[in-house]
């Protein structure tokens, strides 16, 4: 089983120029002030290092970690192998050109839904894999069974919701837009889930939470091979739109329909957000019964909060974050005893 992490450094001047050029060339498609184009969606505050280190520490059964990105590489990524934290081939950067092979004319893209749709095309990707946003992490040891049960069914966690109410709201929003001809209809996470459920022929969706999601490659391959026009429509927008489905949800709903996934109640997780940050949220990082976590929009926290979170994560992941990475994040000691470098190349 492999792990796939999507990542972008929106602070990179070259990437930012490319993104802004695409944004203002497609104002008929997306409002530059909308959620689909907001800066924090592309910001990098080093969260990916916690995702990688947590997989290495808490999920030793993971074969490889694929980092999907656009002509970029996280700084000091090679220090994980140089420091002896993992084997050289355990982490591999996958460029968008690889997963969009045959569809290169759709690049560059700044659309997470388009990118997630094409993840199954990673070369040598395992049949079952786990998808991480770069701000997801493992908070405690996990087993394969935390994602796929003994019957080989994907475990889908979340509250079951009817699609009827949201579909009604979507119709009203579209009608208002046609009548007023003002503004644009912004994309929403729940709306994308409803569209995914529709594609699978379901009248309900699962309200998916912010934690890693198991996925299955072959079913997605077959589905898009049978629906090439839908694939092209999904990956063509440069930024997220109201008409796109959630690829993770589509996989789940197709598997549920075929009996190869099982729906379960939501599971508790560490969820740290800037608008509700509290000591209780921070203390949850120490909870061994909470296996999954997400640190959302770290760029929007106060700097002292950022450093507090980083130091706690460094202590949690002691021995799995190379010193070049710790120094890159501005962590002097991070709760880690530097006198015991544990094989790191200082």
């Amino acid at each position: 089983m492999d792990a796939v992490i999507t990542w972008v450094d929106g602070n990179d001047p070259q990437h930012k120029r490319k993104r802004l050029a695409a944004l203002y060339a497609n104002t008929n498609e997306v409002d530059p002030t909308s959620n689909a184009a907001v800066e924090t969606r592309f910001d990098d505050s080093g969260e990916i290092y916690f995702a990688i280190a947590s997989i290495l520490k808490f999920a030793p059964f993971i074969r490889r970690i694929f980092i999907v990105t656009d002509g970029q590489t996280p700084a000091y990524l090679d220090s994980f192998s140089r420091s002896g934290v993992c084997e050289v081939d355990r982490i591999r950067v996958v460029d968008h050109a690889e997963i969009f092979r045959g569809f290169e004319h759709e690049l560059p893209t700044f659309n997470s839904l388009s990118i997630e749709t094409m993840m199954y095309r990673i070369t040598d990707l395992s049949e079952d894999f786990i998808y991480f946003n770069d701000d997801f992490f493992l908070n405690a040891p996990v087993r394969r069974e935390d994602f796929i049960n003994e019957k080989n069914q994907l475990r889908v966690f979340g509250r079951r919701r009817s699609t009827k109410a949201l579909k009604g709201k979507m119709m009203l929003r579209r009608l208002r837009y046609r009548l007023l001809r003002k503004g644009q209809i912004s994309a929403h996470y729940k709306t994308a889930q409803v569209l995914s459920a529709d594609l699978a022929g379901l009248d309900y969706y699962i309200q998916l939470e912010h934690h890693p999601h198991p996925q299955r490659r072959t079913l997605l391959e077959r589905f898009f091979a049978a629906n090439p026009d839908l694939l092209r429509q999904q990956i063509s927008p440069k930024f997220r739109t109201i008409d796109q489905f959630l690829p993770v949800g589509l996989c789940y709903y197709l598997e549920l329909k075929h009996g190869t996934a099982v729906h379960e109640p939501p599971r508790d997780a560490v969820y740290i957000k800037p608008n509700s940050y509290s000591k209780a949220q921070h203390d949850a990082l120490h909870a061994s019964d909470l296996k999954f976590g997400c640190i959302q929009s770290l760029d929007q926290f106060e700097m002292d909060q950022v450093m507090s979170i980083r130091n706690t994560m460094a202590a949690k992941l002691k021995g799995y974050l190379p010193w070049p990475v710790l120094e890159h994040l501005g962590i002097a000691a991070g709760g880690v005893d530097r006198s015991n470098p544990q094989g790191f190349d200082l």
Side-chain angles (χ1 to χ4, degrees), residues 137 139 270 272 281-287 295 309 312-313 316:
F137 62 93
N139 196 55
V270 181
I272 298 178
Q281 282 189 13
H282 191 102
D283 289 347
L285 293 170
H286 302 291
I295 303 173
I309 293 169
T312 297
M313 292 298 291
K316 170 185 283 291

Side-chain angles (χ1 to χ4, degrees), residues 257-311:
K257 187 175 181 180
H258 287 82
T260 47
V262 59
H263 172 231
E264 301 183 35
R267 52 184 170 189
D268 293 333
V270 181
Y271 192 17
I272 298 178
K273 299 185 290 183
N275 60 347
S276 62
Y277 183 62
S278 65
K279 185 177 185 299
Q281 282 189 13
H282 191 102
D283 289 347
L285 293 170
H286 302 291
S288 60
D289 60 325
L290 300 178
K291 295 184 176 183
F292 306 98
C294 173
I295 303 173
Q296 192 174 62
S297 300
L298 191 57
D299 60 299
Q300 296 184 5
F301 286 76
E302 298 295 333
M303 184 49 64
D304 61 332
Q305 296 173 337
V306 171
M307 295 313 301
S308 177
I309 293 169
R310 285 178 174 175
N311 277 284

Side-chain angles (χ1 to χ4, degrees), residues 331-346:
I331 303 171
V336 183
D337 181 4
R338 187 159 188 164
S339 66
N340 181 19
Q342 301 193 26
F344 293 143
D345 180 7
L346 301 180

